[in-house]
Amino acid sequence: MEALSLPAALSLVAGGGAGLSPELRAALGASLPLLQRDYRFERVWFWGCIQGVRGAYYIAQGLGPDRAAPRSRLYSLNCLDWSLLTPATEEMLALAEEVKGRFQGDPSFEYSLAEINPEAAARLVQSGKEPVMKEEARLTATIEQIDRAVGIVPRGAFVKTPLGSVHENRHFEGLSLVEAKKLSSYFHFTEPTNLKNKTLLEKADLDPSTDFLNSLEHDIPQGKGSWSIQLEKGGSVVVLRSLLWLGLTFYHVPMTKQFGYVYFGTGEKNLDLPFML
């Protein structure tokens, strides 16, 4: 969610238990603008918090002109001092899938892959690398996993130019209340996969400038099996909560430009979801 509108945005998602102490909010209010200035980001988003056993990671994302380009990710242990994370590789994502259990809250903590996945550990040894995974690498991989799976935006909030770059839609004035209650009105803000499988007849009704992302209605489990949609604040705010990554909350105020998502959780995927339906 936008750094500038953070206090108001956090109050809109507070119904799910998400929140920060006044001290942490004040620290973010002071440090995020400096982060934007020092790294020359066009925008800074507060992504959320992953709670470890001995401490918490507070995450921010820096964006450039092209909103679909890879984002810079940073973490802090106190909301004041920030460290840049290395981009997640496919190897890091695969290894992070193997690691189970809570984060420790220590970036230098090392997971022994020999105990978790002997085959992956053997491959690392053969390539001259140590068979360990630092928690910092697991952190950046987990953030990438969550963004790919449940990072969402309303339909029409972003447009794709003929050159392929993605920008905020200046003409977006929010979804109507009727549309805001439909899963089909929200898109995954990541590289689309389902669009390639659509027939020409299905693509005929799509606007290539706005319908260039995957809709939530195609998520597995299908429909509302992956998401909870609720009206809150007297029906003035639509809130979506992910049932796959518990702790991810998205909000949108219909008929306005206000929307965003934030994650407050342990960084563990809900593997029991198929059995809960």
Side-chain angles (χ1 to χ4, degrees), residues 92-151:
M92 288 164 64
L93 291 167
L95 291 176
E97 287 274 10
E98 303 288 341
V99 180
K100 302 293 186 287
R102 293 281 303 275
F103 279 79
Q104 296 300 307
D106 176 7
S108 60
F109 180 83
E110 294 183 341
Y111 298 92
S112 172
L113 295 176
E115 301 172 7
I116 299 167
N117 187 333
E119 292 179 7
R123 286 196 301 271
L124 287 174
V125 171
Q126 287 174 357
S127 61
K129 299 177 184 176
E130 287 190 66
V132 296
M133 183 179 202
K134 283 196 171 184
E135 182 152 285
E136 190 174 83
R138 183 191 177 192
L139 178 66
T140 191
T142 301
I143 296 168
E144 178 70 20
Q145 286 175 327
I146 293 173
D147 268 346
R148 286 187 185 184
V150 291

Side-chain angles (χ1 to χ4, degrees), residues 164-226:
S165 60
V166 175
H167 304 278
E168 291 171 14
N169 185 359
R170 296 180 181 178
H171 302 292
F172 177 71
E173 295 296 337
L175 300 171
S176 67
L177 184 58
V178 173
E179 291 297 316
K181 292 188 284 186
K182 299 177 182 176
L183 274 180
S184 58
S185 297
Y186 301 96
F187 292 158
H188 288 280
F189 200 38
T190 186
E191 189 69 28
T193 54
N194 295 337
L195 284 181
K196 298 171 186 174
N197 302 325
K198 286 184 178 291
T199 64
L200 290 175
L201 192 61
E202 289 173 317
K203 290 180 179 178
D205 294 329
L206 302 180
D207 182 341
S209 66
T210 55
D211 298 315
F212 59 94
L213 299 167
N214 288 335
S215 167
L216 265 61
E217 64 180 334
H218 302 300
D219 283 9
I220 299 174
Q222 279 279 318
K224 295 186 179 179
S226 301

